[in-house]
Amino acid sequence: MEGSDTDQSTIDRRQRLQGGLLGMLVGDALGVPYEFKSSERIPSYHQIEFEPPAGFLRSYPEVPPGTWSDDGAQALCLLESLLAHGELNLIDFSQRLQNWYFEGHMAVGKHVFDVGIQTREAIVKLSKNYFPEESGRRDEYANGNGSLMRVLPLALWHQGDDRQLVADAHEQSIVTHAHPRAMVCCALYCLWARRVLERCPTPWEAAVAALRELYRELPVHKEQLEEHVRPDSRPGGNGTGYVVDSLHSARLACEETSFEKVVKRAVQIGNDTDTTACVAGGIAGIQYGIQQIPRRFLEGLRGQELVAPLLDKLLSGS
């Protein structure tokens, strides 16, 4: 994300934290109406809004424009848990995920309209008294993007060093996605977000270097990083629900030079549009700050009453 349409040197940490959290939610909400559509079926750049153009057959027609999905709701559950305990408490986080799925906690209007297969399976296990360390699948085919899409609040909140951040990124993933590949993607994304927050000129490359150093002690995770995530590859992807493709698709979108361009590019990739735009929107929000998120997006985002107290508490601890 080198270069931009705006002067980033004047953006302070508070603006970046606000931008990260709200950018994640805006990206998610922007992508909701276009989910499951191929790139060829996505409207043109200028037509991509919370309210799609007339005649567009949108996903979830019963969901009002500006509504975040399971991505945003689970991310807010994570942030709420972190703020309540001052640490990552898997028992508490797991309970909040159950409260979301069964009761609509942190869902706008308490309406749960989307949930990934792996996440649903894990939450059902949790409701049957499985421990959080036992609920997430660990097999090769358990590498959806469900833990990646919600992890950004961990990076925004965390005060520990990189080793602690990576360990917590792994831990929050295992509740629903316990394969090391999903854990690695969550860790890399958190370090990427941290480097953007720190105004590092090459945040992705710096995050990769830091993770490689930490993974010297974790050969299984190192192999996943190098053989499957392949962080030195060029940004690119198809916007699918596969965690590696999701991460690289967000990287591709983040090559754009403003918040609006990033989230719209993420939607244009197609397929899992809400998650790609959520993941990319969080990074872009940190990069460009709250002031560069278009006012119409901020004003059109539903559920502000759920976000405001969490954001206030996050900022008070920054």
Side-chain angles (χ1 to χ4, degrees):
M1 297 179 67
E2 297 180 3
S4 102
D5 291 348
T6 61
D7 180 6
Q8 299 172 41
S9 64
T10 61
I11 306 170
D12 65 23
R13 182 179 177 86
R14 288 175 60 86
Q15 291 173 322
R16 292 177 187 274
L17 290 172
Q18 290 174 297
L21 187 63
L22 289 170
M24 171 193 74
L25 296 171
V26 166
D28 180 7
L30 184 66
V32 164
Y34 309 98
E35 191 177 10
F36 310 126
K37 305 292 194 296
S38 65
S39 59
E40 294 80 11
R41 297 172 63 193
I42 301 294
S44 67
Y45 175 89
H46 295 290
Q47 292 180 308
I48 297 174
E49 297 288 340
F50 282 162
E51 180 70 65
F56 180 78
L57 187 61
R58 63 193 182 104
S59 304
Y60 313 109
E62 78 285 2
V63 175
T67 303
W68 63 70
S69 71
D70 54 333
D71 306 43
Q74 290 181 42
L76 293 179
C77 285
L78 175 59
L79 179 58
E80 184 184 44
S81 181
L82 293 168
L83 293 171
H85 289 270
E87 65 179 3
L88 178 63
N89 183 311
L90 291 189
I91 296 294
D92 181 78
F93 176 47
S94 298
Q95 185 59 59
R96 292 176 197 271
L97 288 179
Q98 293 175 72
N99 293 346
W100 162 72
Y101 181 67
F102 293 112
E103 302 171 13
H105 181 62
M106 289 299 166
V108 181
K110 295 189 177 298
H111 181 198
V112 177
F113 59 89
D114 190 18
V115 59
I117 295 173
Q118 289 175 237
T119 299
R120 181 177 64 245
E121 290 176 352
I123 291 175
V124 169
K125 285 183 179 179
L126 290 168
S127 72
K128 296 178 179 178
N129 297 319
Y130 279 71
F131 288 110
E133 296 84 357
E134 303 171 336
S135 52
R137 283 173 49 192
R138 299 175 180 272
D139 58 280
E140 175 78 14
Y141 296 99
N143 277 306
N145 56 16
S147 59
L148 174 67
M149 71 188 191
R150 68 175 183 241
V151 74
L152 181 65
L154 184 66
L156 300 177
W157 164 87
H158 215 284
Q159 300 294 318
D161 62 17
D162 286 349
R163 184 181 301 275
Q164 294 169 311
L165 176 57
V166 166
D168 282 346
H170 289 178
E171 286 292 301
Q172 78 80 33
S173 182
I174 66 172
V175 178
T176 56
H177 295 71
H179 192 281
R181 195 174 309 159
M183 296 162 67
V184 168
C185 287
C186 289
L188 180 52
Y189 181 63
C190 281
L191 288 177
W192 183 23
R194 170 171 278 186
R195 295 301 183 268
V196 175
L197 187 60
E198 294 169 343
R199 306 187 188 189
C200 175
T202 54
W204 175 266
E205 292 78 7
V208 171
L211 194 57
R212 280 182 169 138
E213 183 65 26
L214 291 171
Y215 279 172
R216 288 187 179 188
E217 304 169 9
L218 298 171
V220 172
H221 294 78
K222 181 179 180 181
E223 180 185 14
Q224 291 295 320
L225 177 68
E226 304 298 352
E227 300 300 323
H228 295 278
V229 180
R230 297 179 181 176
D232 296 327
S233 62
R234 286 286 306 154
N238 298 308
T240 68
Y242 173 44
V243 66
V244 175
D245 185 49
S246 185
L247 181 60
H248 286 304
S249 295
R251 284 181 66 206
L252 177 63
C254 284
E255 289 192 324
E256 299 293 341
T257 55
S258 73
F259 177 86
E260 182 170 357
K261 289 178 180 179
V262 167
V263 291
K264 287 190 173 184
R265 179 70 183 93
V267 172
Q268 286 181 312
I269 295 172
N271 298 309
D272 196 359
T273 49
D274 60 330
T275 297
T276 305
C278 176
V279 174
I283 294 292
I286 300 171
Q287 182 83 359
Y288 301 111
I290 184 69
Q291 300 299 327
Q292 297 304 321
I293 298 178
R295 182 172 295 276
R296 71 183 187 283
F297 287 159
L298 294 175
E299 292 178 348
L301 184 68
R302 301 177 68 230
Q304 301 274 357
E305 71 283 356
L306 299 174
V307 185
L310 297 179
L311 185 54
D312 287 345
K313 194 169 182 180
L314 174 67
L315 294 174
S316 69
S318 66

